Amino acid sequence: MKYITLLSALLIMSCGNQKEDGTASEVETIPVKSMTLWTNKTELFVEFPALVVGENSRFAAHFTVLDKHKPVREGEVTVSLIKGDNGIRNTAKSPSSPGIFSPSLQPKEAGNFKLLFDIKTSTFSDRLIIHDIIVYASKEDAINALGVASEAAGISFLKEQAWKIDFQTAPVINGKIYDVINTSGVWTPSPGSVKTMVAKSNGVVDLAVNNLTEGTLVKRGQLLINVNSQGLASNNLSTDIASAKAKYQQAKSEYDRKKVLYESKIVPKAEFEKVESNYSITKSNYESLSSGVSGGGKQIRAPFNGYITAINVANGDYVEQGVGMVTVGTHQSRVLKTQIAPSYGLTMENAQGVWYQTNDAQWRNIATSGGSILSIAKDVDNTRPLISVFAKVNDDVDMPEGSLTQVQIAMGNATQNTIIPVSALLEDYGSYSVIVQLSGESFERRPVKIGKRNGENVEILQGLEVGEVVVTKGAYQVKMASMSGSTPAHGHEH
């Protein structure tokens, strides 16, 4: 999605961008323009003296990477002034300070032009275009056409301030919104995401990991426990392996001998099959006993990357074969179980999706990572008055099994309306407002009327128009700037 908003502010220039052969008083008469543009990658806030034939105009081009809203710290920016097939351009090979590039242009003729900004970095490139840029024949023409602007309205919040904090903006869009059921859910393990490791032989437990406790992270193949039977008078693994090996070798010799005789048709098929069966059994028994053995003990290793969910033994315990010792789980796949009243009429046919809240209070859609609704119960009775809904979640869920989380279940048919991220909302005693970005460094606080909430998005019934830009992170800091009663000194170099 690409969206562009263009704002111009005019003021009398009071800082030092001047022609080499001009005086400060002459340059101060040239009005300054400020404009803000967005693409889906970049925000450009640019300030520059109105373009006049023969006058050198230096641009203060503030480039922000929209992801994480941080300044562009390397790369080059080329500004081009184009009319038809002709034009002039200038390139700033690097930023003059983090996020700010300062190319300049000296127009040669008056008229209506396009102004292009091309940015190239090691990770991305982008182009932003401003149409209908007027180049004036003289400073007097520029002053007569543009006049002198009054103090800019709105809350002043400089780019340098925004770049230093956790700041983010998002466009107001027209999107789908559903009716939702607000409920809660409990995290349960999904099939295959939890595995209990059992003792494969009798023996004494020797924990291979120091301070092995519930919640300990483990890696696939990591040694967790040794079950050692050395020194035991009975059920000694080493003795059992030696006995199994002897029986296997004896059965193999008998099998090899009888196979030659059978192929020569000296022994009957039934006799050979009996020997073959005994050979297979003894081989399997020996391989099973000797598999995973080291130092006279059976090794228990982690089946996958995950964490310890339960430990049922301690160092020095004697265990018998088949006893569950340790359980390993993974965050990667979970089942989210919710329960709702049957009066909602939720079915697999009208259920549209599920959002859940993470442990840092962020909303996430299960469909984003390929999750889905597994089942919706159909029957209720006196002992089960609620309908259970099960959803598979493939995200890395960093929440304990059995813990609760807020859930929204979307149902019915979607309607199209104005939506913004929930994180943009400011609430005061039940009333809501947002911080709207008027230009690169100008904002206003605006009351809004909200409707349905769909996970990370909220419906806006009144107060915003599609294409406007709202602050989704850092809105509180902008709000505080509006209450400070003073405007910070502007530090840009023009």
Side-chain angles (χ1 to χ4, degrees):
M1 175 189 65
K2 180 177 285 190
Y3 55 101
I4 297 179
T5 299
L6 186 62
L7 298 156
S8 298
L10 303 176
L11 45 95
I12 297 300
M13 184 172 178
S14 60
C15 39
N17 179 35
Q18 56 185 12
K19 283 200 313 174
E20 292 182 1
D21 58 350
T23 65
S25 59
E26 290 176 333
V27 177
E28 286 176 351
T29 62
I30 300 180
V32 169
K33 305 187 74 174
S34 66
M35 298 180 176
T36 307
L37 300 93
W38 292 268
T39 69
N40 57 352
K41 300 177 186 176
T42 314
E43 177 194 292
L44 168 63
F45 169 59
V46 59
E47 298 172 297
F48 59 97
L51 299 180
V52 176
V53 173
E55 299 288 339
N56 189 59
S57 292
R58 184 172 296 275
F59 296 81
H62 305 65
F63 277 92
T64 303
V65 180
L66 289 181
D67 183 24
K68 308 299 183 184
H69 206 90
K70 295 302 178 184
V72 175
R73 297 182 179 275
E74 55 89 17
E76 64 178 34
V77 169
T78 299
V79 59
S80 306
L81 187 66
I82 297 176
K83 182 180 182 181
D85 297 328
N86 300 316
I88 57 174
R89 62 177 50 85
N90 181 251
T91 299
K93 296 294 185 180
S94 62
S96 55
S97 61
I100 303 177
F101 293 80
S102 303
S104 61
L105 290 175
Q106 189 172 15
K108 298 179 180 179
E109 61 174 308
N112 190 307
F113 292 78
K114 285 193 302 184
L115 194 60
L116 280 65
F117 292 85
D118 290 288
I119 181 168
K120 293 182 180 180
T121 73
S122 59
T123 57
F124 77 97
S125 60
D126 205 359
R127 166 172 283 190
L128 300 97
I129 304 174
I130 305 175
H131 296 275
D132 298 323
I133 290 293
I134 303 300
V135 175
Y136 297 95
S138 65
K139 288 184 288 186
E140 291 74 15
D141 289 347
I143 294 171
N144 292 334
L146 300 176
V148 178
S150 60
E151 185 71 20
I155 307 166
S156 177
F157 198 74
L158 304 185
K159 301 307 299 180
E160 289 86 344
Q161 291 175 283
W163 289 336
K164 291 178 181 178
I165 65 173
D166 189 12
F167 194 86
Q168 191 67 61
T169 60
V172 181
I173 64 172
N174 186 273
K176 291 182 179 180
I177 202 82
Y178 291 93
D179 290 323
V180 298
I181 303 169
N182 290 289
T183 181
S184 62
V186 60
W187 291 110
T188 63
S190 65
S193 67
V194 174
K195 187 172 183 179
T196 298
M197 313 302 293
V198 301
K200 297 180 180 178
S201 66
N202 299 345
V204 177
V205 172
D206 178 17
L207 297 181
V209 179
N210 292 330
N211 301 318
L212 187 67
T213 58
E214 292 183 10
T216 300
L217 296 177
V218 295
K219 295 183 178 180
R220 178 184 175 89
Q222 180 180 347
L223 180 61
L224 304 178
I225 297 174
N226 271 311
V227 180
N228 200 316
S229 62
Q230 285 184 327
L232 297 179
S234 61
N235 296 318
N236 188 298
L237 182 59
S238 297
T239 303
D240 291 342
I241 291 175
S243 175
K245 183 177 181 180
K247 291 179 181 179
Y248 161 62
Q249 290 176 337
Q250 182 181 3
K252 186 177 186 302
S253 297
E254 180 71 6
Y255 169 76
D256 291 340
R257 186 173 65 86
K258 287 291 179 75
K259 183 179 180 182
V260 174
L261 295 174
Y262 170 70
E263 290 174 349
S264 301
K265 299 183 179 181
I266 297 174
V267 298
K269 182 178 180 181
E271 183 178 342
F272 173 70
E273 287 179 344
K274 183 177 180 180
V275 172
E276 185 180 40
S277 175
N278 183 53
Y279 164 67
S280 297
I281 292 171
T282 56
K283 179 183 178 182
S284 177
N285 186 44
Y286 169 66
E287 290 177 345
S288 177
L289 284 172
S290 59
S291 174
V293 173
S294 177
K298 275 282 191 179
Q299 296 182 331
I300 303 299
R301 296 182 178 272
F304 42 68
N305 294 339
Y307 62 99
I308 302 298
T309 63
I311 301 175
N312 303 320
V313 293
N315 250 339
D317 284 353
Y318 175 80
V319 294
E320 295 184 350
Q321 182 176 345
V323 171
M325 295 186 296
V326 61
T327 303
V328 180
T330 175
H331 291 304
Q332 286 298 323
S333 183
R334 295 284 188 87
V335 171
L336 184 60
K337 177 185 177 181
T338 67
Q339 292 187 307
I340 61 174
S343 58
Y344 285 112
L346 184 69
T347 65
M348 289 294 289
E349 289 72 29
N350 65 15
Q352 301 296 336
V354 174
W355 292 278
Y356 68 92
Q357 208 167 49
T358 62
N359 61 352
D360 56 355
Q362 299 298 311
W363 285 101
R364 191 170 295 173
N365 191 336
I366 65 169
T368 302
S369 58
S372 61
I373 298 175
L374 295 175
S375 64
I376 300 174
K378 297 182 180 297
D379 300 321
V380 296
D381 54 37
N382 291 336
T383 60
R384 295 180 302 167
L386 299 177
I387 289 177
S388 295
V389 180
F390 294 89
K392 183 180 180 182
V393 179
N394 289 331
D395 288 320
D396 188 0
V397 180
D398 189 16
M399 299 179 74
E401 291 173 15
S403 61
L404 295 173
T405 185
Q406 292 189 53
V407 175
Q408 290 182 350
I409 304 175
M411 63 179 295
N413 297 319
T415 58
Q416 291 283 137
N417 208 346
T418 303
I419 61 174
I420 62 170
V422 170
S423 57
L425 291 178
L426 296 172
E427 182 178 4
D428 285 319
Y429 302 103
S431 297
Y432 294 93
S433 61
V434 296
I435 300 296
V436 180
Q437 185 176 11
L438 302 177
S439 69
E441 298 181 330
S442 179
F443 301 80
E444 75 171 15
R445 186 179 179 187
R446 190 182 301 172
V448 293
K449 183 178 179 181
I450 68 171
K452 305 169 188 175
R453 298 193 189 207
N454 281 185
E456 65 272 20
N457 293 319
V458 61
E459 180 184 28
I460 300 298
L461 303 177
Q462 185 177 322
L464 290 173
E465 298 293 334
V466 172
E468 292 186 298
V469 177
V470 295
V471 179
T472 58
K473 290 182 181 179
Y476 180 76
Q477 285 86 337
V478 180
K479 174 185 173 183
M480 294 305 295
S482 71
M483 300 169 63
S484 65
S486 62
T487 300
H490 202 291
H492 302 325
E493 180 183 343
H494 305 306

